Amino acid sequence: MTATTVLTARALLLDMDGTLVDSHAVVERIWRRWSDRHGLDADEVMKVVHGRQGYASMALLLPNRPMEQNHAENARMLAEETADVEGVVPIPGAPEFLASLRGLPHALVTSADVPLSTARMGAAGLELPEIRITAESVGASKPDPEGFLKGAAELGIAPADCIVFEDSGAGIAAGRAAGMRVVGVGPHAGYHRADVVVRDLREVRVEDLGAGGIRLRVG
C-alpha cells in the first residue's frame, strides 16, 4: 500500500506468530511431520493450522477423532515446538514496534502456551509484553474472540477502543468478532477482511497522544 492510514485507539492487542515472530520454518517442519504420520496432504493441512491452537486444527483435520486424543497430541507437539527454535526470527520492524509501545496499553494474545511463547519471543530477541493472553488463558481457540476480549478486559479497555494486529484468517476473524479493528500483517492478511494491511511492522508508526490515546500511522 502507498497511502497512509491514520487510526486511533486506547490499546493494541498483538498476535505473535506471523505478526511479531517469523516462526514459519518450524511450524512447517512440525506440521508436515504430523501430516505424514496421519496420511494427510501437508499443503492442505498448512492452510488450516495458522492462528489456531493445535487441538482445534486437529479437530478440523481429523473430525472423527476423540477430542481427548487431540489435546494429548497437541501437548506433545507444543513440547516439540518449544524445543525447536531454529530459524525463529523477528518480523521486520518488530523490535522497534514493541519498543515504541513501552508505557502504552498493549498485550500479547497468542494461541501458543506460556513455554512456547516465551521460547519464540526469546529466540527472536523480542520483549514480552507485561500482559499476555496465552493458550492457558482461554477455553476456545481463535477464530473465537475470547482471547482478544480477555486481553481488552485485562487492560481495562473497551473492545471498540482496541486495535488488533494479526496475520492469519483465524486471528483476523477473532479480532473482528470481538468488535475490534484489525491491522493485517504480512502477505496473506489481505485475503481476510482486515481493516488495513501492511507488509510488515516497518510500515507502522506509533504516537503517544497522552490521556490514554494512541495514534497509528499505517502504510
Side-chain angles (χ1 to χ4, degrees), residues 1 9 18 24 34 80 93 130 175 179 206 214:
M1 58 184 293
H24 184 77
W34 183 87
E80 188 178 355
E130 182 178 345
V206 178
I214 300 170

Side-chain angles (χ1 to χ4, degrees), residues 80-111:
E80 188 178 355
E81 288 184 272
T82 301
D84 184 357
V85 293
E86 183 180 353
V88 173
V89 295
I91 292 291
E96 297 81 5
F97 175 67
L98 287 172
S100 73
L101 295 181
R102 290 178 189 141
L104 298 176
H106 66 287
L108 188 72
V109 181
T110 176
S111 295

Side-chain angles (χ1 to χ4, degrees), residues 2-81:
T2 56
T4 297
T5 299
V6 178
L7 303 170
T8 57
R10 295 187 60 218
L12 306 183
L13 302 176
L14 316 174
D15 175 50
M16 182 182 70
D17 291 302
T19 301
L20 298 173
V21 172
D22 182 352
S23 56
H24 184 77
V26 62
V27 171
E28 286 270 343
R29 286 195 295 272
I30 298 292
W31 279 98
R32 285 185 181 278
R33 286 200 295 266
W34 183 87
S35 303
D36 289 342
R37 289 198 298 271
H38 292 282
L40 298 176
D41 183 323
D43 290 335
E44 293 303 311
V45 167
M46 296 311 301
K47 295 177 183 178
V48 171
V49 301
H50 291 290
R52 293 181 171 85
Q53 293 191 40
Y55 74 85
S57 296
M58 293 173 191
L60 291 172
L61 294 162
L62 299 172
N64 297 319
R65 191 167 78 160
M67 186 59 78
E68 57 267 24
Q69 291 186 30
N70 296 334
H71 280 285
E73 189 168 31
N74 184 51
R76 293 191 295 271
M77 287 181 69
L78 281 170
E80 188 178 355
E81 288 184 272

